[in-house]
Amino acid sequence: MIRFDQVSVTYDDDAGPALTGVDLTVDEGELCLLVGPSGVGKSTLLGTVSGLVPHFSGGTLHGTVTVAGRDTRTHRPRELADVVGTVGQDPLAHFVTDTVEDELAYGMESLGLPPDTMRRRVEETLDLLGLAALRERPIATLSGGQQQRVAIGSVLTAHPRVLVLDEPTSALDPAAAEEVLAVLQRLVHDLGTTVLLAEHRLERVVQYADQVIVLPAPGEAPLVGEPAAMMAASPVHPPVVALGRLAGWSPLPLSVRDARRRAKTLRDRLAPEPAPDGAAEPAAPDAVAPPVGRAEGLTVRRGRTDALRGVDLAVRPGESVALMGRNGAGKSTLLSAFVGLHEPATGTVRVGDAVPHRTRPADLLRRVGLVPQEPRDLLYADTVAAECEAADRDADAPRGTCRALVTRLLPGVADATHPRDLSEGQRLALALAVILTASPPLILLDEPTRGLDYAAKARLVEVLRALAADGHAIVLATHDVELAAELAHRVVILADGEVVADGPTAEVVVSSPAFAPQVAKVLAPLPYLTVPQVAHALGAGA
Amino acid sequence: MSTDDSPMSDLPHGEAPAAARERALGRGGAERATAPREGRPARVWRAARAPVATRADALHAGAWWVWALGLAVAASRTTNPLLLALLVAVAGYVVAVRRTQAPWARSYGAFVKIALVVIGIRLVFAVFLGSPIPGTHTLFTLPEVPLPEWAKGVRLGGRVTAEGLVFALYDGLKLAALLICVGAANALANPARLLKSLPGALYEAGVAVVVAMTFAPHLVADVQRLRAARRLRGRADRGLRALLQVGLPVLEGALERSVALAAAMDARGYGRTARVPRAVRHTTTALSVGGLLGVCAGTYGLLAAEGAGYALPVLLAGLAAALGGLWLGGRRSARSRYRPDRWGARAWLVSGSGVAVAGLMIWAGSYAPTALHPPAVPLTAPTLPLWPAASVLLGLLPALVAPVPPDAAARPGPARRSGAAVRSDAAGRGPVSAPGGGRRRTAAGPRDAAGPPPASRAAHPSTEPPAKESER
């Protein structure tokens, strides 16, 4: 269905090729997963299938890409629109019209399909994706998972034979991600659509893949193979694979179900061990110190709805708290309330002894720092060096404070680099360094792992652990259950603006099917959350 | 019965008050007792009653514009403040009961404010620049600024008469009423749907407007987010400087988003063109250019004194040629249209009521000219002429026949009852769909409207093979 023949892509202002030596075939009806670290050319590879690379993006393509018999060199993206459907990372950037139904019809209108065919296909697609109840809703009012499904539906109505998706679940909470993946599964199983998708969150998708393409490093040729075989060698892999490698299982399990069936002996071996603690467990917080951030009965109103209702939360020095809950549950609102972006309708919020929304920004900076969902929002300057100087000035810190932090968090970044040219993970580290320049005791992070690969995530975990060990309190709002399991002492689950669970990570997370990390699911009822904990226990037992 | 009829409860002929009265009189079984007696008139009434506006029976956007322009024409034909007030009230009432929750519907308030400003400006000018209206009732006298000889026609300051002010007020009211009528059309008609009714060759312009409309809210959100981010850096988040400094990142973001959108549109087949014979292409160009030239020449002839004889034919011929060019040009685009708005009976009624108001008012200008233009000199209290007033009331017809917006429930004010009733109506009869009825504005917990569970999705598998009909 898709055939790459000695494909390489070079962008005009780059030294080396962005992609090289791609020579592979994706068969009809396959779900093919594309994995690899950030910046390795995944989006470029996806772009060559829809023809956007090189027709839209510029650059030079060598070799040929053939989709359903059409050569992308001679067919522009619009001439491939009836065979390839493309959904980008941000569904909002994809929408042309304002309501769900019009959006589903837009592609077909461009193709000039007859009205009765359009009508029938819109109805079918509404049913297929479970969107019937939303058909007249303005797209802007939908949740993230719903928007992603509308984006998929909007390309499906043209009945493409190939569907190309770039990180379809990375912005979604676990339940919404499952919604989207269920839809993809149906397309592959029932309609025989060929799906090619890139995704960082392998734990969500790898078990559905028929074929995996690994791009190991920039400029290296891709490896292609069966998921289990590829995972055995891949530099990026989900926790369940890490557990399988640790336990020496072969073939490697890809889903929790496979792993659980194999894990009986491992569970028996681990059962007599004491409950995990020590090296793998995050250091315990200081229980007697006064909280650095506290909300009591906090209600925040946005428009006419209560975004938060009677929320109580206290964070002590050295403690890491993970805020979880579905999209729109009020996680970001709670973080913003701590930096004074929302005035409480009732209740109080305190940072140290200050009331955030009445404190001058320059003072607040020393009490609390927030890294927003889009770290780029915090960066204004043209170069890393200028950004650091500005941060020193903002925080009244001695010259070079921020630069020293950058060097620690992000070794090997040149002064003259433009923040825009950094990868997602590097940009996050830079924003974190900027915030840390004023050394606030309370650090808030909103969705820090969005768009991060496993290596960047591992570095982030190290950095945050070190900060917690230094006595910083950390609150992170995240959908990433694996991150919460590795990092957080406490998990707070929000639903509809209310706290529905608050307790030690192991207790809260293990009892919830949506928020349990893979290792916990495999080893339940044993209270293990992460692979390092298991490795530590096995090492101690041996 | 009361549940069934309550969508009309805010309307003059609603039956709900009667049912309530019966209940109040202790006839508990009234509903059951009246149901079988329901005769033919009730059935007819039921069929004629305004439905909930869904995609299928939404009113054609053009009908709203015809109606509003009709009211505007009527407003331009009179300076009687009572008639003008009546026109504004009619437009306002229809907007109040029939506008949706959509962003453009909120523009009505802005139009009303602009109208008030227009009246204010007109009065201020009348006070300071004087007025050519002779008057005897001097209210007060401003010091007059002596002006040089060459500015003899202009006066600054001086006597302010009641007659002058009244004349200015009437004049301002007329302009304000015109503005409010346009505002009503703006609030009631969905601009995206209106653009969809454009001829195919103008499609690109329509897309540009729709994209701009969806971009504006994003831009506002970006500004808010980036101002908040400034606070996180310890800089002031208020004031002009803060706004200016986020300008560049906001523009960058907008640019990036438009590039992403352009890529998405390209990948979805935007700009595919059909192959058109060379001759047709050339004819299109010739017709469009020639037609526009004809329109220009004809308009010039109409305005200039010399060309009275040939102007009109040239204008009409030019117009016809330009329209022909548009029609031929539309053949180049391969697009088709998904569910275009239909011009049904209700659209005829709504637009007809506007045309009727305009026509009757023009006619009234010939049989009752003084009632439509009450003189400012001498000062007299304006009276409400009976027949013109009655003809203005025809403009209320849309409040009865236009489909009820499905989301009226979330709005305070006069339409709230009707909205709540719509919801119970939909709940009671099932298939009348009012998707997202009162829930549209609740931001929290959006997923509970997520649609049927997977099991029910599986019950309607798409039976059609995927690539069977990629024929075009």
Side-chain angles (χ1 to χ4, degrees):
Chain A
M1 180 55 57
I2 314 174
R3 158 122 210 92
F4 295 89
D5 194 7
Q6 293 300 333
V7 172
S8 69
V9 176
T10 313
Y11 290 117
D12 295 340
D13 42 357
D14 287 0
L19 202 63
T20 184
V22 184
D23 195 47
L24 54 95
T25 309
V26 181
D27 287 327
E28 180 154 11
E30 269 193 358
L31 197 157
C32 182
L33 177 64
L34 182 58
V35 300
S38 299
V40 81
K42 294 195 295 295
S43 296
T44 302
L45 182 61
L46 295 183
T48 58
V49 177
S50 58
L52 289 173
V53 176
H55 290 291
F56 193 86
S57 63
T60 317
L61 177 105
H62 293 284
T64 52
V65 182
T66 321
V67 185
R70 297 188 202 174
D71 186 343
T72 61
R73 288 179 306 178
T74 52
H75 289 79
R76 299 182 54 76
R78 64 188 68 147
E79 286 145 12
L80 292 166
D82 51 331
V83 286
V84 183
T86 309
V87 180
Q89 287 183 17
D90 178 10
L92 273 180
H94 172 96
F95 297 133
V96 185
T97 63
D98 48 356
T99 63
V100 172
E101 204 175 338
D102 284 329
E103 191 61 38
L104 294 186
Y106 177 81
M108 294 189 291
E109 288 183 324
S110 298
L111 299 178
L113 297 182
D116 45 348
T117 309
M118 288 201 278
R119 184 67 201 272
R120 196 180 67 239
R121 288 196 190 172
V122 165
E123 299 299 331
E124 285 167 3
T125 310
L126 286 171
D127 280 342
L128 183 71
L129 304 193
L131 292 169
L134 311 173
R135 61 188 302 162
E136 287 182 31
R137 286 267 296 269
I139 290 171
T141 64
L142 303 182
S143 73
Q146 291 168 341
Q147 284 179 348
Q148 193 63 266
R149 279 188 290 151
V150 173
I152 293 175
S154 71
V155 298
L156 272 188
T157 47
H159 282 194
R161 298 167 69 189
V162 177
L163 197 56
V164 175
L165 303 124
D166 199 352
E167 300 200 26
T169 74
S170 66
L172 302 182
D173 61 67
E178 273 165 26
E179 240 170 51
V180 170
L181 290 170
V183 163
L184 292 183
Q185 276 242 242
R186 266 202 86 186
L187 296 179
V188 172
H189 283 223
D190 295 358
L191 304 184
T193 313
T194 310
V195 175
L196 177 61
L197 82 158
E199 181 61 67
H200 280 309
R201 303 236 170 136
L202 291 180
E203 66 271 19
R204 288 177 172 176
V205 292
V206 75
Q207 68 263 38
Y208 302 123
D210 299 310
Q211 189 179 198
V212 173
I213 304 174
V214 180
L215 289 169
E220 280 184 34
L223 311 168
V224 189
E226 292 282 306
M230 297 313 295
M231 280 300 115
S234 164
V236 292
H237 50 257
V240 69
V241 169
L243 189 68
R245 285 192 192 178
L246 180 72
W249 293 329
S250 176
L252 279 173
L254 298 177
S255 66
V256 168
R257 184 165 170 265
D258 289 349
R260 209 171 151 75
R261 286 169 59 206
R262 302 264 181 75
K264 192 171 177 320
T265 50
L266 182 63
R267 280 199 297 270
D268 290 344
R269 249 175 90 193
L270 287 171
E273 303 292 332
D277 55 18
E281 174 81 344
D286 192 346
V288 288
V292 291
R294 193 174 57 209
E296 279 173 355
L298 176 66
T299 299
V300 173
R301 196 153 294 159
R302 299 182 89 170
R304 289 185 190 197
T305 47
D306 287 341
L308 291 176
R309 205 174 299 124
V311 169
D312 294 310
L313 179 70
V315 192
R316 294 174 194 288
E319 189 177 30
S320 309
V321 178
L323 285 180
M324 306 188 80
R326 64 174 83 93
N327 291 338
K331 302 186 296 293
S332 297
T333 310
L334 182 53
L335 293 188
S336 330
F338 272 112
V339 290
L341 293 176
H342 300 298
E343 192 174 336
T346 58
T348 56
V349 55
R350 294 268 184 288
V351 181
D353 51 359
V355 181
H357 66 275
R358 296 219 188 94
T359 312
R360 283 194 316 124
D363 292 337
L364 199 64
L365 190 63
R366 280 185 206 86
R367 302 169 186 276
V368 58
L370 167 67
V371 180
Q373 216 168 68
E374 190 60 69
R376 205 162 69 189
D377 292 353
L378 276 187
L379 309 174
Y380 300 104
D382 292 341
T383 63
V384 171
E387 200 65 71
C388 287
E389 276 172 35
D392 289 342
R393 265 200 314 280
D394 287 339
D396 274 334
R399 277 181 72 99
T401 315
C402 181
R403 180 65 228 192
L405 282 164
V406 171
T407 316
R408 204 180 103 206
L409 302 184
L410 195 64
V413 163
D415 272 346
T417 316
H418 195 292
R420 191 165 291 272
D421 294 336
L422 298 175
S423 72
E424 295 274 350
Q426 290 172 323
R427 217 178 291 138
L428 178 72
L430 179 59
L432 192 57
V434 164
I435 288 298
L436 284 175
T437 307
S439 63
L442 176 61
I443 300 168
L444 315 170
L445 297 111
D446 199 351
E447 283 299 330
T449 56
R450 186 176 174 176
L452 293 196
D453 57 26
Y454 282 91
K457 220 159 94 175
R459 260 200 312 280
L460 178 75
V461 167
E462 269 172 42
V463 167
L464 292 183
R465 275 208 189 136
L467 287 175
D470 287 352
H472 290 281
I474 296 172
V475 179
L476 32 103
T478 184
H479 292 315
D480 191 331
V481 291
E482 308 296 337
L483 178 81
E486 283 199 46
L487 202 60
H489 302 107
R490 227 167 92 204
V491 169
V492 175
I493 295 183
L494 290 176
D496 283 347
E498 291 174 15
V499 173
V500 294
D502 180 357
T505 305
E507 284 174 23
V508 174
V509 140
V510 169
S511 62
S512 150
F515 296 118
Q518 287 193 318
V519 173
K521 285 180 181 163
V522 172
L523 295 181
L526 302 180
Y528 290 89
L529 299 178
T530 62
V531 177
Q533 282 178 346
V534 178
H536 184 75
L538 289 180
Chain B
M1 178 143 176
S2 74
T3 308
D4 271 349
D5 286 316
S6 42
M8 301 298 293
S9 60
D10 59 326
L11 304 175
H13 305 290
E15 286 171 313
R21 204 167 49 242
E22 277 179 351
R23 264 201 304 281
L25 288 171
R27 293 184 222 159
E31 283 165 59
R32 238 168 298 133
T34 49
R37 284 211 310 269
E38 188 177 76
R40 199 143 155 263
R43 273 209 305 279
V44 171
W45 175 237
R46 209 177 260 264
R49 207 176 43 183
V52 175
T54 56
R55 170 107 192 189
D57 52 15
L59 200 67
H60 197 289
W64 282 125
W65 273 99
V66 173
W67 168 79
L69 291 179
L71 292 193
V73 167
S76 72
R77 287 295 163 144
T78 177
T79 51
N80 185 327
L82 296 177
L83 278 179
L84 288 173
L86 193 61
L87 271 168
V88 169
V90 163
Y93 179 73
V94 173
V95 169
V97 296
R98 285 299 182 267
R99 78 168 157 180
T100 57
Q101 279 296 323
W104 58 83
R106 282 176 233 145
S107 67
Y108 186 67
F111 273 93
V112 171
K113 280 181 205 146
I114 295 174
L116 290 178
V117 170
V118 164
I119 297 179
I121 291 176
R122 186 70 183 81
L123 287 178
V124 167
F125 270 78
V127 167
F128 287 102
L129 294 182
S131 147
I133 304 296
T136 50
H137 300 76
T138 306
L139 293 177
F140 51 90
T141 308
L142 289 175
E144 187 164 348
V145 182
L147 289 176
E149 189 64 18
W150 49 265
K152 222 166 38 180
V154 186
R155 201 184 66 182
L156 270 182
R159 219 157 51 86
V160 178
T161 63
E163 287 87 347
L165 278 189
V166 165
F167 179 80
L169 179 71
Y170 290 179
D171 211 34
L173 260 178
K174 185 161 101 177
L175 278 178
L178 283 175
L179 269 172
I180 286 178
C181 290
V182 172
N186 220 355
L188 290 168
N190 180 338
R193 297 272 189 84
L194 189 67
L195 289 166
K196 272 197 135 184
S197 322
L198 288 178
L202 294 181
Y203 165 75
E204 324 274 319
V207 168
V209 174
V210 171
V211 167
M213 278 189 334
T214 46
F215 255 55
H218 284 309
L219 224 53
V220 174
D222 275 358
V223 170
Q224 282 168 353
R225 213 185 64 231
L226 284 161
R227 283 175 78 172
R230 280 181 59 81
R231 189 179 168 85
L232 303 177
R233 287 290 297 262
R235 304 177 190 184
D237 58 343
R238 298 203 170 95
L240 192 62
R241 213 170 134 235
L243 197 62
L244 287 180
Q245 284 195 345
V246 300
L248 194 62
V250 166
L251 285 181
E252 267 177 22
L255 194 65
E256 271 173 26
R257 199 173 291 129
S258 29
V259 170
L261 180 66
M265 284 172 73
D266 201 4
R268 289 170 72 187
Y270 175 80
R272 279 166 82 111
T273 47
R275 278 181 215 294
V276 173
R278 215 182 154 83
V280 173
R281 275 211 313 273
H282 289 312
T283 321
T284 310
T285 320
L287 279 179
S288 311
V289 174
L292 287 179
L293 281 177
V295 169
C296 289
T299 317
Y300 177 77
L302 271 188
L303 296 177
E306 302 91 62
Y310 67 87
L312 203 61
V314 168
L315 180 65
L316 289 181
L319 215 55
L323 287 178
L326 272 182
W327 175 76
L328 265 184
R331 289 189 31 190
R332 223 181 146 231
S333 113
R335 297 183 57 80
S336 51
R337 279 177 208 201
Y338 174 76
R339 295 184 84 179
D341 281 342
R342 268 180 303 224
W343 190 283
R346 290 178 192 277
W348 281 117
L349 284 174
V350 168
S351 54
S353 79
V355 171
V357 171
L360 288 174
M361 195 62 96
I362 291 171
W363 185 42
S366 64
Y367 70 76
T370 47
L372 293 197
H373 298 278
V377 189
L379 271 183
T380 42
T383 53
L384 187 66
L386 183 63
W387 286 110
S391 58
V392 167
L393 285 180
L394 270 182
L396 278 176
L397 193 63
L400 290 174
V401 300
V404 184
D407 50 3
R411 196 169 66 231
R416 168 168 278 185
R417 276 173 306 140
S418 95
V422 168
R423 227 169 0 159
S424 62
D425 193 47
R429 288 200 235 140
V432 182
S433 76
R439 192 182 273 157
R440 189 168 296 187
R441 303 202 40 106
T442 51
R447 182 146 316 104
D448 38 14
S456 74
R457 268 182 246 156
H460 309 283
S462 162
T463 47
E464 194 182 4
K468 263 284 170 58
E469 36 169 61
S470 42
E471 84 287 323
R472 270 174 322 284

